[in-house]
Amino acid sequence: MTSQVSSPAEQADGSGGAVVGGQRTPGNPDGKEVRRLDRVIIRFAGDSGDGMQLTGDRFTSETASFGNDLSTLPNFPAEIRAPAGTLPGVSSFQLHFADHDILTPGDAPNVLVAMNPAALKANIADVPRGAEIIVNTDEFTKRPMAKVGYETSPLEDGSLAAYNLHPVPLTTLTVEALKDFGLSRKEAERSKNMFALGLLSWMYHRPTEATESFLRQKFAKKPEIAEANIVAFRAGWNFGETTEDFAVSYEVAPATQAFPTGTYRNISGNLALSYGLIAASQQADLPLYLGSYPITPASDILHELSKHKNFGVRTFQAEDEIAGIGAALGAAFGGALGVTTTSGPGVALKSETIGLAVSLELPLLIVDIQRGGPSTGLPTKTEQADLLQAMFGRNGEAPVPIVAPRTPADCFDAALDAARIALTYRTPVFLLSDGYLANGSEPWRIPEVADLPDLKVKFATGANHALADGTEVFWPYKRDPETLARPWAVPGTPGLEHRIGGIEKQDGTGNISYDPANHDLMVRTRQAKIDGIEVPDLDVDDPDRATTLVLGWGSTYGPITAAVRRLRVAGLPVAQAHLRHLNPFPRNLGEVLERYEKVVVPEMNLGQLATLIRAKYLVDARSYNQVNGMPFKAEQLAKVLKEAIDD
């Protein structure tokens, strides 16, 4: 979905996201009240087989095409088919959309759609009093309720009296709508998520044409199934329009004032990162080679890149993580932009080859989509706990630059930045995303190709050093005096034969060397190369000359910014800065830290950035940490930051 927006502005309510553009919604239902809202948070919840992620994704696409700003939070079990009707098997999708600039998927849903008792019980604690709850009454029978510990029906015992409860027999209504299709009851029930989507689309005046088109494309080989889903979708819409239980519908106007003029589309972090890698290879005029092994939540990058052979992309699904990165490093040696994608457990397996890439001084991108750990940990939950692994997780002194995107859309720019560093300085580079960014989505302003950076590199073509007797030779480790990068010599180029391998090289010649002084020189030179990488100075947002600085990195940007906005609206001065480059740090970081009496570092780990900051700059950085597999909530951070300011 792409759309146009035509006037820049900034608004702030302490939230997060973006999308813009215009498509008319269907007409307002006659005789029913329509209320105007500035933002809404909706959560769809059900069994992992109920299609909640698809439902949320379609509602998001409808919302994007309408022109609202948005931010999403998918949340699902690690199992392909988790136990039906149980709390661990609940899958949910939260969408925050608004008529202004927002930053997060929202702290608490205004609307909860619960497809069964487990979905209700797993999510009710997050729902504020007075919120709307739509429940599928067909599932609230004795056995499903007993599975999750309901002794009596919450729909009848008064426990939901504080909410606006809408009991809807979604399954029965769906089966009735599809009675002419000749489907079994089980087959017809599968479309109940589309009935729910139609109902919510009516409630919030979402466009419908794109969803119907999507269903026809998705089930193109089974047109009868496509039509059944479309009929269920329309039945949900019609139910909202005709039933007395929904006397009010809502409008959230497009966010036409939130963003600069341009063409926008909704994009997830993994998709943006994939596009960024393709753009980097095009700008570098190099083939893109991905050597990877499937792992949650990074696999979508492999899936996406495999679709783009027309851009010279080659994807290799290896038998394991070690083979994947070995192939990518081999491709880099052969003159390609080598990439490997993984998550924390895979990084551990790749560590020896990353060290080899450090020794060989070849450009290689290691994309780590972080998840909860240790070991297999929480495959589908988010965390920021791989920072120290990326910084130090190799034997010997093996420094590697680290780049971290801050939003789903920013993954595109971060991929270009990581490629710039890898190609310019001939080094492997870590790109640290996480599950929250990878699966979440927001609007992305599609850049003009002319505005993308020029990443072209020059391969070595001939001799680069003269011996004492005047003989001209090729030295594979003779360095650029500004970047300390060594030449990139493509195999097969006449006269550029040289040794590769993990054993220490002699400075200049690249010959095997066990000389202590040479090893000391090479270790210090490799470190100096990383320390000398050009990264932008850290920008600080401090309109009120605050005494407290909130320093973040990666996906905490949205919640931190939303929390800071809330505090400023309340009249509390607080400064904010966010790091993209974690190795090397921006050169002005030390000076920035010295300006503030208090520095607070919120992280989804136990204080890894704070540890680095305290060690390098001797600053008493205060950690605020969370490791529950979920992103921070803005209200939660605002409370903590207020306490720090008042302390």
Side-chain angles (χ1 to χ4, degrees), residues 9-208:
E10 291 186 4
Q11 299 186 38
D13 75 336
S15 315
V19 133
V20 248
Q23 179 176 343
R24 291 189 177 275
T25 58
N28 296 337
D30 293 335
K32 291 196 176 185
E33 180 184 355
V34 179
R35 294 179 187 170
R36 186 75 174 266
L37 302 175
D38 63 348
R39 61 176 180 144
V40 174
I41 302 167
I42 297 175
R43 184 182 298 179
F44 298 92
D47 274 334
S48 59
D50 281 341
M52 293 298 94
Q53 302 306 316
L54 175 63
T55 305
D57 182 68
R58 292 315 312 161
F59 195 90
T60 299
S61 294
E62 294 173 2
T63 299
S65 67
F66 183 64
N68 295 116
D69 189 10
L70 62 87
S71 181
T72 68
L73 177 62
N75 185 18
F76 44 88
E79 293 80 10
I80 294 174
R81 185 65 175 93
T86 65
L87 295 177
V90 172
S91 174
S92 68
F93 188 105
Q94 183 161 303
L95 165 67
H96 183 189
F97 62 100
D99 64 4
H100 57 272
D101 173 25
I102 56 176
L103 291 161
T104 74
D107 289 354
N110 307 117
V111 182
L112 171 65
V113 180
M115 303 297 282
N116 60 18
L120 178 65
K121 190 157 192 176
N123 291 281
I124 191 63
D126 293 336
V127 182
R129 296 169 66 88
E132 310 266 350
I133 298 179
I134 301 171
V135 295
N136 180 14
T137 57
D138 290 324
E139 293 295 323
F140 280 76
T141 56
K142 187 173 181 179
R143 186 176 179 185
M145 289 192 295
K147 276 187 179 182
V148 296
Y150 281 132
E151 295 182 2
T152 60
S153 173
L155 310 184
E156 300 171 355
D157 63 10
S159 60
L160 300 178
Y163 309 96
N164 293 322
L165 181 65
H166 301 280
V168 180
L170 289 172
T171 305
T172 298
L173 291 170
T174 303
V175 172
E176 176 65 21
L178 302 182
K179 64 182 180 181
D180 295 333
F181 280 81
L183 302 173
S184 68
R185 181 177 177 85
K186 186 175 181 180
E187 290 172 329
E189 285 179 3
R190 292 174 182 165
S191 297
K192 64 181 181 289
N193 63 325
M194 288 297 104
F195 188 100
L197 177 60
L199 173 57
L200 268 292
S201 298
W202 172 84
M203 280 184 69
Y204 292 96
H205 298 243
R206 300 295 90 185
T208 61

Side-chain angles (χ1 to χ4, degrees), residues 418-431:
R420 171 190 69 86
I421 293 171
L423 295 171
T424 303
Y425 296 90
R426 311 286 198 269
T427 177
V429 177
F430 261 101
L431 200 163

